[in-house]
Amino acid sequence: MGRAPCCDKAKVKRGPWSPEEDAKLKDFIDKYGTGGNWIALPQKAGLKRCGKSCRLRWLNYLRPNIKHGEFSDEEDRIICSLFHSIGSRWSIIAAQLPGRTDNDIKNYWNTKLKKKLMGIVNLSSSTTSLNISPLPFPSFSQTTIQSAGTTTTTISSGESLVGPMHTIPIFGGEPSSSSSDGSMVECHFGGLISDSNNNWAHQRSTFHGQLWESAADHTTPLEYEIEEIKQLVSTNFIANCNNYIDESSSSRVMYY
DNA sequence: AAATTACACAACCGCCTCTTA
DNA sequence: TTAAGAGGCGGTTGTGTAATT
């Protein structure tokens, strides 16, 4: 037996909201609030709409202080950073951007930002063969980090793949096995850093590491190992970038 | 000028979680 | 403890409009 629907779809209006409906909903909520019950609200407000539809319309469009229009570079940066960290948790990402709704951010990501990033990736790939002179950014030094007190892993410097960019990041990479028994993994990571003139450079490195536990019994990295690796390379990347920031006061870092 | 295509954004759908009785 | 209902969320679809052919 399936769940009962929240409303009778045959009796409710669907599709775009009219200005009159918007006004009714807004007036009602201004006067009485939502009453903590969206399902009952449309009837009280005199609307032939599903309660969920009213809730969505209010949250995404009618409620006060909603910000519409272009996203700023700073908002782009926050979205990219959080998407990298937590994935498509749009409501959490929206909570960090006052005035923006999860739906808005989701749409923005799917229609614009993702393509923007893909463009960067493609651009980066093409510059590899163009032999563009490296920008004066520091390459990653060989860095040794200790993981979980059990295994020493190494972050080795990757090739410096750079060219001035005035837009935002980036790319990432799933770790993959690089030894026959799966005990070693490799993943690529990177991001953009900018100098004081707002020139962006694409910095990329490769992680080679040993799994935290003996991998004799499996041929691919375990999920939690992958997550740990991601965390390590991410932390290391930021640490390197932060060193650079310290040397050049007005630099910025974006990572993904 | 009309038809087609691409794009942006609003809205819906269905599943999951939380609350409550 | 469990089942039902409501809210919340992310993925997907629908619709209007701008751009292109």
Side-chain angles (χ1 to χ4, degrees), chain A residues 227-242:
Chain A
E227 286 310 309
E228 198 166 349
I229 290 167
K230 282 182 176 177
Q231 198 62 47
L232 284 168
V233 297
S234 174
T235 303
N236 190 258
F237 180 77
I238 295 303
N240 275 283
C241 290
N242 283 340

Side-chain angles (χ1 to χ4, degrees), chain A residues 111-145:
Chain A
T111 59
K112 292 181 183 172
L113 200 50
K114 194 162 67 179
K115 289 171 187 170
K116 209 168 169 181
L117 301 188
M118 294 293 283
I120 296 277
V121 172
N122 293 337
L123 177 61
S124 300
S125 301
S126 64
T127 55
T128 308
S129 58
L130 292 176
N131 194 26
I132 289 175
S133 302
L135 288 176
F137 289 102
S139 59
F140 291 168
S141 57
Q142 189 82 4
T143 308
T144 302
I145 52 180

Side-chain angles (χ1 to χ4, degrees), chain A residues 34-243:
Chain A
T34 65
N37 188 343
W38 284 106
I39 301 299
L41 187 145
Q43 196 177 5
K44 292 178 187 170
L47 288 161
K48 290 183 170 57
R49 289 277 181 176
C50 171
K52 279 189 168 190
S53 180
C54 293
R55 174 184 164 272
L56 212 59
R57 185 65 179 171
W58 172 256
L59 292 177
N60 289 337
Y61 198 82
L62 296 175
R63 80 182 146 101
N65 304 321
I66 291 284
K67 200 193 288 181
H68 294 290
E70 286 292 301
F71 281 70
S72 67
D73 286 349
E74 177 65 10
E75 286 174 315
D76 282 354
R77 188 191 67 76
I78 292 170
I79 294 168
C80 288
S81 176
L82 288 174
F83 187 87
H84 161 69
S85 304
I86 60 174
S88 56
R89 308 282 296 279
W90 304 118
S91 58
I92 296 173
I93 294 173
Q96 305 305 313
L97 299 173
R100 299 294 188 182
T101 69
D102 53 354
N103 208 39
D104 217 16
I105 294 168
K106 179 171 59 182
N107 282 332
Y108 178 58
W109 172 265
N110 287 329
T111 59
K112 292 181 183 172
L113 200 50
K114 194 162 67 179
K115 289 171 187 170
K116 209 168 169 181
L117 301 188
M118 294 293 283
I120 296 277
V121 172
N122 293 337
L123 177 61
S124 300
S125 301
S126 64
T127 55
T128 308
S129 58
L130 292 176
N131 194 26
I132 289 175
S133 302
L135 288 176
F137 289 102
S139 59
F140 291 168
S141 57
Q142 189 82 4
T143 308
T144 302
I145 52 180
Q146 194 77 23
S147 68
T150 55
T151 310
T152 299
T153 59
T154 300
I155 301 289
S156 58
S157 62
E159 74 274 41
S160 185
L161 203 189
V162 292
M165 297 177 189
H166 299 282
T167 180
I168 53 165
I170 316 348
F171 65 96
E174 287 295 321
S176 59
S177 297
S178 60
S179 64
S180 57
D181 68 354
S183 63
M184 296 294 289
V185 295
E186 175 180 318
C187 75
H188 303 276
F189 63 100
L192 292 182
I193 47 183
S194 77
D195 63 14
S196 54
N197 295 320
N198 204 30
N199 291 319
W200 289 93
H202 203 168
Q203 189 79 43
R204 190 166 75 179
S205 283
T206 303
F207 166 81
H208 299 280
Q210 190 167 11
L211 296 182
W212 317 142
E213 292 182 344
S214 167
D217 296 333
H218 52 265
T219 55
T220 56
L222 298 173
E223 275 188 27
Y224 77 88
E225 291 169 337
I226 290 174
E227 286 310 309
E228 198 166 349
I229 290 167
K230 282 182 176 177
Q231 198 62 47
L232 284 168
V233 297
S234 174
T235 303
N236 190 258
F237 180 77
I238 295 303
N240 275 283
C241 290
N242 283 340
N243 289 338

Side-chain angles (χ1 to χ4, degrees), chain A residues 7-18 21 47-50 53:
Chain A
C7 58
D8 185 346
K9 294 192 188 333
K11 291 181 181 172
V12 297
K13 189 184 170 205
R14 298 165 68 184
W17 280 64
S18 68
E21 289 176 308
L47 288 161
K48 290 183 170 57
R49 289 277 181 176
C50 171
S53 180

